[in-house]
Amino acid sequence: MADPQSTATGPAAPGTVPFRPGLEGVPATQSAICDIDGLRGCLSYRGYPLEDLAAHSSFLETTYLLIWGELPTPDQLRHFEHEVQMHRRVSFRVRDMMKCFPSGGHPMDALQSSAASLGLFYSRRAIDDPQYIYGAVVRLLAKIPTMVAAFQLIRKGQDPIQPRDDLAYSANFLYMLTEREPDPLAAHILDVCLILHAEHSLNASTFSARVTASTLTDPYAVVASAVGTLAGPLHGGANEDVLSMLEAIGTPDRAEAFLDEAIAQKRKVMGFGHREYKVKDPRAVILQGLAERLFDEFGADEMYDVARRLEEVAAVRLGPKGIYPNVDFYSGLVYRKLGIPRDLFTPLFAIARVAGWLAHWREQLGANRIYRPTQIYTGRSGRHWRPLHDRSAAAAT
Ligand code: SDX
């Protein structure tokens, strides 16, 4: 029997395209949301270069741009920010449900469960109503950070705290997480990190979101589906593993030996490589700058020297294969300096990527056709059922 995980491209059945593992290089949608030039290392949202948005925009303004396609006017932004601020609270029922979660559970599992539970409270499905869409966008953007912060306090045995309406989006998240009003620079740098992680075309979790959206289910199920996909170590979970890797290396002078061993054992180096980028991820470039600003302001992190040395030696050994740092390589160092617990790095990624998932949800609804690709069957045919007494191991061949 052929190995169904075969990496060979299978023969194309009549009227279909050849099999591409992981749909590599296969356009699965048309989209106007985000453009990536993987050879030049360029990324833009709705035509605006990421560097511009990181330097001048806010996460909520960028979210509005991603979802509705245009930068908001002052009134539109004021209304959007106010609506998100007014919907930050979550029902006591959700909080009580989270108190039943095991405190040792991973925060991504807590987030996926609580995001899906929102569908129980907002069960009306009117996905052809722009007001319903606006309301769902506001609720998910507003409540996801509150639920991430709530689980953090609950798993420590504390009651979650209510959002502060006088704090902006990222500052309020840090406040709910730490119970302290954050340093303005820390809040600003987190807001930039959310912009950098907001959208990235048809990555695995966004593809999940579009497939789920194409069945016309509710947006809470769409986001829950995407959260589950993002949790995987090959996707959103890599930034946790990068820190563990840097700590295992320990000192810059041991980076080269670590890399040589990883390559010899054909182990993936976390935080490196990308399906689209064949140069350094432009987000890694910006995140590295943010890390250095934080270190200047709040003190150095010796793991940064390890990271830079690893990047140097990897440029020689992996660079020729187009393998360079991706968004996850420096993000963990930034989050650690911001005081974010390590297993909340990926939930933080999810908080940002809700913007992209919702933009793709709305775009999918605008020109929907349910996803149903085909397959190349590699199993056996023409077999006949046999009674139990007639099933020896040999006969099973
Ligand atoms: C994200 O898609 C997105 O846009 C995702 C994301 C987003 O914003 O949504 O950018 C976020 O997911 C970033 C990626 C985080 N994951 C990691 O850092 C995990 C480590 N990276 C790899 O697992 C890998 O690079 C992927 C999954 C990111 C991409 O893998 P591909 O495109 O499927 O590449 P591949 O596994 O087919 O590898 C091709 C070759 C192989 O070598 P050969 O067998 O051809 O000799 O490159 C090698 C791989 O061994 N390779 C690596 C490597 N990544 C690829 N070798 C060592 N270390 C790595 N990290």
Side-chain angles (χ1 to χ4, degrees), residues 283-308:
R283 299 167 296 176
V285 175
I286 301 171
L287 280 160
Q288 192 171 358
L290 295 176
E292 292 180 354
R293 279 185 66 186
L294 281 172
F295 300 146
D296 290 347
E297 182 77 17
F298 302 116
D301 179 340
E302 69 275 8
M303 288 300 112
Y304 182 55
D305 296 332
V306 178
R308 283 194 305 177

PDB file of all heavy atoms in Angstrom, residues 283-308:
ATOM      1  N   ARG A 283       9.276  40.523   9.794  1.00  0.00           N
ATOM      2  CA  ARG A 283       8.769  40.713  11.156  1.00  0.00           C
ATOM      3  C   ARG A 283       9.887  40.445  12.180  1.00  0.00           C
ATOM      4  O   ARG A 283       9.949  41.099  13.226  1.00  0.00           O
ATOM      5  CB  ARG A 283       7.573  39.786  11.393  1.00  0.00           C
ATOM      6  CG  ARG A 283       6.397  40.061  10.449  1.00  0.00           C
ATOM      7  CD  ARG A 283       5.381  38.978  10.481  1.00  0.00           C
ATOM      8  NE  ARG A 283       5.933  37.708   9.996  1.00  0.00           N
ATOM      9  CZ  ARG A 283       5.244  36.560  10.006  1.00  0.00           C
ATOM     10  NH1 ARG A 283       4.002  36.540  10.469  1.00  0.00           N
ATOM     11  NH2 ARG A 283       5.801  35.450   9.546  1.00  0.00           N
ATOM     12  N   ALA A 284      10.769  39.510  11.847  1.00  0.00           N
ATOM     13  CA  ALA A 284      11.896  39.222  12.748  1.00  0.00           C
ATOM     14  C   ALA A 284      12.825  40.432  12.807  1.00  0.00           C
ATOM     15  O   ALA A 284      13.382  40.746  13.859  1.00  0.00           O
ATOM     16  CB  ALA A 284      12.644  37.981  12.265  1.00  0.00           C
ATOM     17  N   VAL A 285      12.973  41.115  11.679  1.00  0.00           N
ATOM     18  CA  VAL A 285      13.822  42.309  11.640  1.00  0.00           C
ATOM     19  C   VAL A 285      13.272  43.369  12.597  1.00  0.00           C
ATOM     20  O   VAL A 285      13.984  43.926  13.434  1.00  0.00           O
ATOM     21  CB  VAL A 285      13.898  42.879  10.209  1.00  0.00           C
ATOM     22  CG1 VAL A 285      14.668  44.191  10.176  1.00  0.00           C
ATOM     23  CG2 VAL A 285      14.527  41.864   9.253  1.00  0.00           C
ATOM     24  N   ILE A 286      11.974  43.617  12.533  1.00  0.00           N
ATOM     25  CA  ILE A 286      11.355  44.638  13.393  1.00  0.00           C
ATOM     26  C   ILE A 286      11.370  44.185  14.858  1.00  0.00           C
ATOM     27  O   ILE A 286      11.684  44.945  15.770  1.00  0.00           O
ATOM     28  CB  ILE A 286       9.919  44.956  12.936  1.00  0.00           C
ATOM     29  CG1 ILE A 286       9.905  45.464  11.502  1.00  0.00           C
ATOM     30  CG2 ILE A 286       9.254  45.971  13.855  1.00  0.00           C
ATOM     31  CD1 ILE A 286       8.526  45.614  10.888  1.00  0.00           C
ATOM     32  N   LEU A 287      11.085  42.906  15.077  1.00  0.00           N
ATOM     33  CA  LEU A 287      11.063  42.389  16.459  1.00  0.00           C
ATOM     34  C   LEU A 287      12.447  42.485  17.096  1.00  0.00           C
ATOM     35  O   LEU A 287      12.578  42.775  18.294  1.00  0.00           O
ATOM     36  CB  LEU A 287      10.567  40.946  16.469  1.00  0.00           C
ATOM     37  CG  LEU A 287       9.049  40.787  16.377  1.00  0.00           C
ATOM     38  CD1 LEU A 287       8.666  39.395  15.905  1.00  0.00           C
ATOM     39  CD2 LEU A 287       8.405  41.105  17.729  1.00  0.00           C
ATOM     40  N   GLN A 288      13.477  42.293  16.303  1.00  0.00           N
ATOM     41  CA  GLN A 288      14.840  42.399  16.835  1.00  0.00           C
ATOM     42  C   GLN A 288      15.096  43.838  17.312  1.00  0.00           C
ATOM     43  O   GLN A 288      15.652  44.060  18.386  1.00  0.00           O
ATOM     44  CB  GLN A 288      15.850  41.991  15.763  1.00  0.00           C
ATOM     45  CG  GLN A 288      17.259  41.791  16.298  1.00  0.00           C
ATOM     46  CD  GLN A 288      18.185  41.188  15.268  1.00  0.00           C
ATOM     47  OE1 GLN A 288      17.783  40.867  14.125  1.00  0.00           O
ATOM     48  NE2 GLN A 288      19.425  40.983  15.644  1.00  0.00           N
ATOM     49  N   GLY A 289      14.606  44.786  16.533  1.00  0.00           N
ATOM     50  CA  GLY A 289      14.745  46.187  16.937  1.00  0.00           C
ATOM     51  C   GLY A 289      13.970  46.487  18.210  1.00  0.00           C
ATOM     52  O   GLY A 289      14.460  47.188  19.103  1.00  0.00           O
ATOM     53  N   LEU A 290      12.777  45.924  18.324  1.00  0.00           N
ATOM     54  CA  LEU A 290      11.969  46.130  19.540  1.00  0.00           C
ATOM     55  C   LEU A 290      12.667  45.516  20.745  1.00  0.00           C
ATOM     56  O   LEU A 290      12.700  46.104  21.837  1.00  0.00           O
ATOM     57  CB  LEU A 290      10.581  45.510  19.363  1.00  0.00           C
ATOM     58  CG  LEU A 290       9.670  46.117  18.290  1.00  0.00           C
ATOM     59  CD1 LEU A 290       8.380  45.310  18.181  1.00  0.00           C
ATOM     60  CD2 LEU A 290       9.362  47.590  18.602  1.00  0.00           C
ATOM     61  N   ALA A 291      13.255  44.344  20.546  1.00  0.00           N
ATOM     62  CA  ALA A 291      13.974  43.684  21.642  1.00  0.00           C
ATOM     63  C   ALA A 291      15.106  44.576  22.130  1.00  0.00           C
ATOM     64  O   ALA A 291      15.273  44.795  23.345  1.00  0.00           O
ATOM     65  CB  ALA A 291      14.515  42.337  21.171  1.00  0.00           C
ATOM     66  N   GLU A 292      15.846  45.149  21.207  1.00  0.00           N
ATOM     67  CA  GLU A 292      16.980  45.997  21.599  1.00  0.00           C
ATOM     68  C   GLU A 292      16.509  47.247  22.335  1.00  0.00           C
ATOM     69  O   GLU A 292      17.130  47.698  23.307  1.00  0.00           O
ATOM     70  CB  GLU A 292      17.819  46.342  20.361  1.00  0.00           C
ATOM     71  CG  GLU A 292      18.542  45.094  19.811  1.00  0.00           C
ATOM     72  CD  GLU A 292      19.402  45.370  18.579  1.00  0.00           C
ATOM     73  OE1 GLU A 292      19.341  46.516  18.080  1.00  0.00           O
ATOM     74  OE2 GLU A 292      20.118  44.455  18.138  1.00  0.00           O
ATOM     75  N   ARG A 293      15.348  47.803  21.922  1.00  0.00           N
ATOM     76  CA  ARG A 293      14.798  48.967  22.648  1.00  0.00           C
ATOM     77  C   ARG A 293      14.457  48.576  24.078  1.00  0.00           C
ATOM     78  O   ARG A 293      14.727  49.302  25.042  1.00  0.00           O
ATOM     79  CB  ARG A 293      13.533  49.486  21.959  1.00  0.00           C
ATOM     80  CG  ARG A 293      13.793  50.384  20.766  1.00  0.00           C
ATOM     81  CD  ARG A 293      12.521  50.957  20.189  1.00  0.00           C
ATOM     82  NE  ARG A 293      11.853  51.885  21.106  1.00  0.00           N
ATOM     83  CZ  ARG A 293      10.650  52.414  20.833  1.00  0.00           C
ATOM     84  NH1 ARG A 293       9.989  52.062  19.730  1.00  0.00           N
ATOM     85  NH2 ARG A 293      10.097  53.262  21.672  1.00  0.00           N
ATOM     86  N   LEU A 294      13.871  47.388  24.224  1.00  0.00           N
ATOM     87  CA  LEU A 294      13.493  46.932  25.576  1.00  0.00           C
ATOM     88  C   LEU A 294      14.740  46.697  26.426  1.00  0.00           C
ATOM     89  O   LEU A 294      14.789  47.073  27.603  1.00  0.00           O
ATOM     90  CB  LEU A 294      12.681  45.644  25.484  1.00  0.00           C
ATOM     91  CG  LEU A 294      11.209  45.780  25.110  1.00  0.00           C
ATOM     92  CD1 LEU A 294      10.601  44.411  24.859  1.00  0.00           C
ATOM     93  CD2 LEU A 294      10.438  46.519  26.213  1.00  0.00           C
ATOM     94  N   PHE A 295      15.752  46.101  25.832  1.00  0.00           N
ATOM     95  CA  PHE A 295      16.976  45.815  26.599  1.00  0.00           C
ATOM     96  C   PHE A 295      17.648  47.125  27.015  1.00  0.00           C
ATOM     97  O   PHE A 295      18.132  47.257  28.142  1.00  0.00           O
ATOM     98  CB  PHE A 295      17.934  44.949  25.781  1.00  0.00           C
ATOM     99  CG  PHE A 295      17.366  43.611  25.362  1.00  0.00           C
ATOM    100  CD1 PHE A 295      17.711  43.024  24.163  1.00  0.00           C
ATOM    101  CD2 PHE A 295      16.451  42.963  26.173  1.00  0.00           C
ATOM    102  CE1 PHE A 295      17.179  41.800  23.770  1.00  0.00           C
ATOM    103  CE2 PHE A 295      15.893  41.735  25.800  1.00  0.00           C
ATOM    104  CZ  PHE A 295      16.263  41.166  24.592  1.00  0.00           C
ATOM    105  N   ASP A 296      17.625  48.122  26.110  1.00  0.00           N
ATOM    106  CA  ASP A 296      18.211  49.432  26.480  1.00  0.00           C
ATOM    107  C   ASP A 296      17.467  50.028  27.679  1.00  0.00           C
ATOM    108  O   ASP A 296      18.041  50.608  28.570  1.00  0.00           O
ATOM    109  CB  ASP A 296      18.108  50.405  25.289  1.00  0.00           C
ATOM    110  CG  ASP A 296      19.044  50.007  24.139  1.00  0.00           C
ATOM    111  OD1 ASP A 296      19.925  49.154  24.383  1.00  0.00           O
ATOM    112  OD2 ASP A 296      18.862  50.525  23.021  1.00  0.00           O
ATOM    113  N   GLU A 297      16.152  49.873  27.673  1.00  0.00           N
ATOM    114  CA  GLU A 297      15.315  50.523  28.702  1.00  0.00           C
ATOM    115  C   GLU A 297      15.245  49.721  29.992  1.00  0.00           C
ATOM    116  O   GLU A 297      15.325  50.267  31.101  1.00  0.00           O
ATOM    117  CB  GLU A 297      13.894  50.699  28.138  1.00  0.00           C
ATOM    118  CG  GLU A 297      12.928  51.410  29.084  1.00  0.00           C
ATOM    119  CD  GLU A 297      13.163  52.922  29.124  1.00  0.00           C
ATOM    120  OE1 GLU A 297      13.828  53.424  28.199  1.00  0.00           O
ATOM    121  OE2 GLU A 297      12.728  53.572  30.093  1.00  0.00           O
ATOM    122  N   PHE A 298      15.138  48.381  29.857  1.00  0.00           N
ATOM    123  CA  PHE A 298      14.854  47.570  31.045  1.00  0.00           C
ATOM    124  C   PHE A 298      15.963  46.577  31.385  1.00  0.00           C
ATOM    125  O   PHE A 298      15.791  45.751  32.263  1.00  0.00           O
ATOM    126  CB  PHE A 298      13.531  46.810  30.850  1.00  0.00           C
ATOM    127  CG  PHE A 298      12.346  47.695  30.588  1.00  0.00           C
ATOM    128  CD1 PHE A 298      11.661  47.640  29.385  1.00  0.00           C
ATOM    129  CD2 PHE A 298      11.932  48.629  31.547  1.00  0.00           C
ATOM    130  CE1 PHE A 298      10.570  48.468  29.136  1.00  0.00           C
ATOM    131  CE2 PHE A 298      10.858  49.465  31.305  1.00  0.00           C
ATOM    132  CZ  PHE A 298      10.170  49.388  30.103  1.00  0.00           C
ATOM    133  N   GLY A 299      17.088  46.633  30.682  1.00  0.00           N
ATOM    134  CA  GLY A 299      18.188  45.723  31.019  1.00  0.00           C
ATOM    135  C   GLY A 299      18.351  44.610  30.001  1.00  0.00           C
ATOM    136  O   GLY A 299      17.382  44.187  29.355  1.00  0.00           O
ATOM    137  N   ALA A 300      19.589  44.141  29.854  1.00  0.00           N
ATOM    138  CA  ALA A 300      19.900  43.157  28.799  1.00  0.00           C
ATOM    139  C   ALA A 300      19.370  41.776  29.158  1.00  0.00           C
ATOM    140  O   ALA A 300      18.954  41.509  30.278  1.00  0.00           O
ATOM    141  CB  ALA A 300      21.415  43.102  28.611  1.00  0.00           C
ATOM    142  N   ASP A 301      19.375  40.911  28.126  1.00  0.00           N
ATOM    143  CA  ASP A 301      18.999  39.501  28.303  1.00  0.00           C
ATOM    144  C   ASP A 301      20.100  38.690  27.618  1.00  0.00           C
ATOM    145  O   ASP A 301      20.291  38.797  26.400  1.00  0.00           O
ATOM    146  CB  ASP A 301      17.639  39.240  27.641  1.00  0.00           C
ATOM    147  CG  ASP A 301      17.204  37.776  27.784  1.00  0.00           C
ATOM    148  OD1 ASP A 301      18.073  36.915  28.028  1.00  0.00           O
ATOM    149  OD2 ASP A 301      15.989  37.505  27.653  1.00  0.00           O
ATOM    150  N   GLU A 302      20.825  37.915  28.408  1.00  0.00           N
ATOM    151  CA  GLU A 302      21.975  37.205  27.837  1.00  0.00           C
ATOM    152  C   GLU A 302      21.556  36.217  26.741  1.00  0.00           C
ATOM    153  O   GLU A 302      22.352  35.857  25.879  1.00  0.00           O
ATOM    154  CB  GLU A 302      22.788  36.485  28.918  1.00  0.00           C
ATOM    155  CG  GLU A 302      22.118  35.289  29.589  1.00  0.00           C
ATOM    156  CD  GLU A 302      21.218  35.736  30.746  1.00  0.00           C
ATOM    157  OE1 GLU A 302      21.006  36.946  30.911  1.00  0.00           O
ATOM    158  OE2 GLU A 302      20.702  34.854  31.441  1.00  0.00           O
ATOM    159  N   MET A 303      20.295  35.832  26.740  1.00  0.00           N
ATOM    160  CA  MET A 303      19.847  34.923  25.682  1.00  0.00           C
ATOM    161  C   MET A 303      19.854  35.628  24.322  1.00  0.00           C
ATOM    162  O   MET A 303      19.917  34.984  23.281  1.00  0.00           O
ATOM    163  CB  MET A 303      18.443  34.377  25.980  1.00  0.00           C
ATOM    164  CG  MET A 303      18.424  33.374  27.110  1.00  0.00           C
ATOM    165  SD  MET A 303      19.473  31.932  26.751  1.00  0.00           S
ATOM    166  CE  MET A 303      20.774  32.158  27.958  1.00  0.00           C
ATOM    167  N   TYR A 304      19.820  36.953  24.342  1.00  0.00           N
ATOM    168  CA  TYR A 304      19.848  37.686  23.074  1.00  0.00           C
ATOM    169  C   TYR A 304      21.183  37.488  22.376  1.00  0.00           C
ATOM    170  O   TYR A 304      21.246  37.317  21.150  1.00  0.00           O
ATOM    171  CB  TYR A 304      19.586  39.164  23.325  1.00  0.00           C
ATOM    172  CG  TYR A 304      19.546  40.010  22.070  1.00  0.00           C
ATOM    173  CD1 TYR A 304      18.689  39.693  21.014  1.00  0.00           C
ATOM    174  CD2 TYR A 304      20.367  41.129  21.909  1.00  0.00           C
ATOM    175  CE1 TYR A 304      18.641  40.462  19.854  1.00  0.00           C
ATOM    176  CE2 TYR A 304      20.326  41.901  20.772  1.00  0.00           C
ATOM    177  CZ  TYR A 304      19.465  41.556  19.746  1.00  0.00           C
ATOM    178  OH  TYR A 304      19.444  42.322  18.593  1.00  0.00           O
ATOM    179  N   ASP A 305      22.254  37.463  23.144  1.00  0.00           N
ATOM    180  CA  ASP A 305      23.582  37.223  22.547  1.00  0.00           C
ATOM    181  C   ASP A 305      23.665  35.815  21.959  1.00  0.00           C
ATOM    182  O   ASP A 305      24.256  35.603  20.890  1.00  0.00           O
ATOM    183  CB  ASP A 305      24.675  37.412  23.602  1.00  0.00           C
ATOM    184  CG  ASP A 305      24.730  38.850  24.101  1.00  0.00           C
ATOM    185  OD1 ASP A 305      24.343  39.760  23.311  1.00  0.00           O
ATOM    186  OD2 ASP A 305      25.093  39.063  25.266  1.00  0.00           O
ATOM    187  N   VAL A 306      23.020  34.865  22.631  1.00  0.00           N
ATOM    188  CA  VAL A 306      22.986  33.489  22.104  1.00  0.00           C
ATOM    189  C   VAL A 306      22.210  33.478  20.791  1.00  0.00           C
ATOM    190  O   VAL A 306      22.634  32.883  19.796  1.00  0.00           O
ATOM    191  CB  VAL A 306      22.345  32.520  23.126  1.00  0.00           C
ATOM    192  CG1 VAL A 306      22.284  31.108  22.546  1.00  0.00           C
ATOM    193  CG2 VAL A 306      23.093  32.522  24.447  1.00  0.00           C
ATOM    194  N   ALA A 307      21.086  34.201  20.777  1.00  0.00           N
ATOM    195  CA  ALA A 307      20.243  34.227  19.574  1.00  0.00           C
ATOM    196  C   ALA A 307      20.997  34.838  18.393  1.00  0.00           C
ATOM    197  O   ALA A 307      20.983  34.306  17.281  1.00  0.00           O
ATOM    198  CB  ALA A 307      18.967  35.025  19.854  1.00  0.00           C
ATOM    199  N   ARG A 308      21.690  35.951  18.670  1.00  0.00           N
ATOM    200  CA  ARG A 308      22.400  36.594  17.556  1.00  0.00           C
ATOM    201  C   ARG A 308      23.520  35.710  17.037  1.00  0.00           C
ATOM    202  O   ARG A 308      23.756  35.627  15.828  1.00  0.00           O
ATOM    203  CB  ARG A 308      22.947  37.954  18.016  1.00  0.00           C
ATOM    204  CG  ARG A 308      21.841  39.009  18.082  1.00  0.00           C
ATOM    205  CD  ARG A 308      22.406  40.381  18.185  1.00  0.00           C
ATOM    206  NE  ARG A 308      23.317  40.474  19.335  1.00  0.00           N
ATOM    207  CZ  ARG A 308      24.008  41.571  19.645  1.00  0.00           C
ATOM    208  NH1 ARG A 308      23.903  42.648  18.893  1.00  0.00           N
ATOM    209  NH2 ARG A 308      24.795  41.604  20.691  1.00  0.00           N
TER     210      ARG A 308
END
